[in-house]
Amino acid sequence: MIELAFVLLVGSAHAQEGYGVPDTQGHPNYEERSLHLWVNAARVDPQYWTDKGMCDVGGADPQPPIYYDADLGQVARFHADDMHSNEYVGSDSSDGTTMEARVGLVYPDTIVGETNASGHILDYGFVLKGWLCDPDARSVLLSSDATELGTGLSGFYGTVDVGGGAVDTKSPVTLGTHYWPGGEEEWDDVTYVFADWTNKVSPYKFQVISAGFATDLDLYWGDDHDGVWGAVLDIPASQSNSCHQYFFYWELTDGTYGTYPEDGSLTFGSCNTQRGWLTEQVGLNPPSDDKGGCATTRSTGSLKALAILAGLFALRRRRSQVIEELA
């Protein structure tokens, strides 16, 4: 127990950088973000997955997407490694430490629960074909008390720790990532990007900016206030060896804007960076007022609101098309 506490407490230190920036070891990495993606996809539209034949969610209500917490991520990775090393699946650690004691070592807020699994179908399969089918796991992932999570993957073992603490960012974007389906026959050989939105106000602009070019995101699951948005990049996964960098840009009708990650860009391919992150944001072109400063309110707001109303019908049509593509 003492050795476990020491390992966790030493590993829990992390740099205070903008939300969404991987730590110096590259966490959350691609696999961990992918697991987070599917948890939020399940939360914002649980009935959709039942209708697609995944699992019967028992009439569960939609919930907002939740944020990433570095301490929960660290303890989830530790437990996934423990299960992998000792070839078992369970909430208690191999030395008998309970989940509550283990998570409580680094996370002082409310612990909602933990889910664990092993298998050859990671992220997508763990969540949509496994945990959603189990009432206990489903109650953790779809909890209305949940605000943040941490994900850990080790070999074919996965852990999600869920908490109800105060979130450290005001960003409406809880997650952003690229995604390669990898083996699912219904997916094409392309690179998807997804970003999760939670806000009382719908985004006026929601884009991925890759190699300096902006691509609008469409709503895939959930609704305009709590949903998973996505797009397809013209980068087949089989041709992704060169360096690619991207970030997400959002803007409201009043001119408020931001990015995910809040600093720099996420990367994939041969970028020669352990963190999967670069400091620059190529192509960022935020709104500005007449004095050249960053705007929080603008006189163009009413026109933007009209544009949103006019575009809602087109959005609904696009949404139905892209959902069928991913089903």
Side-chain angles (χ1 to χ4, degrees):
M1 178 68 178
I2 295 176
E3 180 180 359
L4 171 62
F6 177 78
V7 171
L8 287 172
L9 291 172
V10 170
S12 65
H14 54 87
Q16 298 299 313
E17 296 181 281
Y19 181 70
V21 177
D23 66 21
T24 56
Q25 301 301 310
H27 298 292
N29 58 30
Y30 165 74
E31 290 80 9
E32 293 160 351
R33 292 197 306 271
S34 297
L35 192 54
H36 187 176
L37 164 67
W38 294 114
V39 170
N40 278 346
R43 285 180 61 84
V44 302
D45 206 347
Q47 189 60 46
Y48 172 83
W49 305 108
T50 294
D51 295 342
K52 291 299 178 182
M54 298 293 183
C55 297
D56 184 351
V57 298
D61 294 326
Q63 301 293 338
I66 54 180
Y67 290 79
Y68 177 81
D69 178 80
D71 291 328
L72 288 174
Q74 190 271 336
V75 75
R77 287 192 300 276
F78 181 92
H79 189 56
D81 284 341
D82 186 26
M83 293 192 300
H84 184 195
S85 298
N86 292 282
E87 299 182 342
Y88 80 103
V89 176
S91 289
D92 289 350
S93 299
S94 59
D95 68 355
T97 303
T98 65
M99 178 274 291
E100 292 81 4
R102 181 180 65 251
V103 176
L105 288 169
V106 296
Y107 189 74
D109 297 307
T110 301
I111 300 171
V112 174
E114 180 181 88
T115 61
N116 298 288
S118 66
H120 291 274
I121 304 177
L122 300 181
D123 55 68
Y124 181 94
F126 276 178
V127 178
L128 302 179
K129 297 181 179 181
W131 289 324
L132 275 192
C133 300
D134 178 83
D136 292 335
R138 184 170 66 239
S139 68
V140 172
L141 297 185
L142 304 187
S143 171
S144 60
D145 296 325
T147 57
E148 52 192 1
L149 58 66
T151 56
L153 288 165
S154 180
F156 294 113
Y157 293 80
T159 296
V160 175
D161 283 305
V162 181
V167 176
D168 293 333
T169 179
K170 295 181 179 180
S171 172
V173 180
T174 67
L175 168 74
T177 188
H178 64 286
Y179 187 75
W180 297 311
E184 291 291 334
E185 293 180 359
E186 65 267 30
W187 300 73
D188 295 324
D189 180 25
V190 296
T191 298
Y192 289 83
V193 287
F194 292 107
D196 301 346
W197 177 272
T198 179
N199 197 287
K200 294 180 180 179
V201 180
S202 303
Y204 166 65
K205 285 185 179 181
F206 204 8
Q207 302 172 321
V208 60
I209 300 179
S210 174
F213 296 96
T215 300
D216 290 334
L217 303 180
D218 290 311
L219 184 63
Y220 276 54
W221 303 288
D223 59 35
D224 298 348
H225 301 284
D226 293 306
V228 176
W229 298 65
V232 178
L233 296 181
D234 189 21
I235 307 170
S238 58
Q239 301 176 18
S240 60
N241 291 331
S242 58
C243 179
H244 301 279
Q245 60 188 86
Y246 66 96
F247 62 95
F248 298 90
Y249 173 81
W250 59 268
E251 185 180 333
L252 303 180
T253 56
D254 65 3
T256 304
Y257 69 93
T259 65
Y260 181 98
E262 290 181 339
D263 301 306
S265 301
L266 299 174
T267 68
F268 61 91
S270 58
C271 297
N272 194 29
T273 166
Q274 179 181 356
R275 297 178 71 175
W277 177 79
L278 294 172
T279 57
E280 66 265 28
Q281 290 184 330
V282 178
L284 178 61
N285 186 26
S288 60
D289 58 24
D290 294 337
K291 297 180 182 180
C294 294
T296 55
T297 60
R298 296 217 305 259
S299 61
T300 56
S302 60
L303 295 176
K304 289 184 176 181
L306 289 174
I308 288 178
L309 291 174
L312 282 178
F313 298 106
L315 176 59
R316 296 294 186 267
R317 289 193 297 271
R318 293 196 302 271
R319 180 184 179 188
S320 64
Q321 294 169 354
V322 294
I323 285 177
E324 288 304 317
E325 180 181 322
L326 294 178

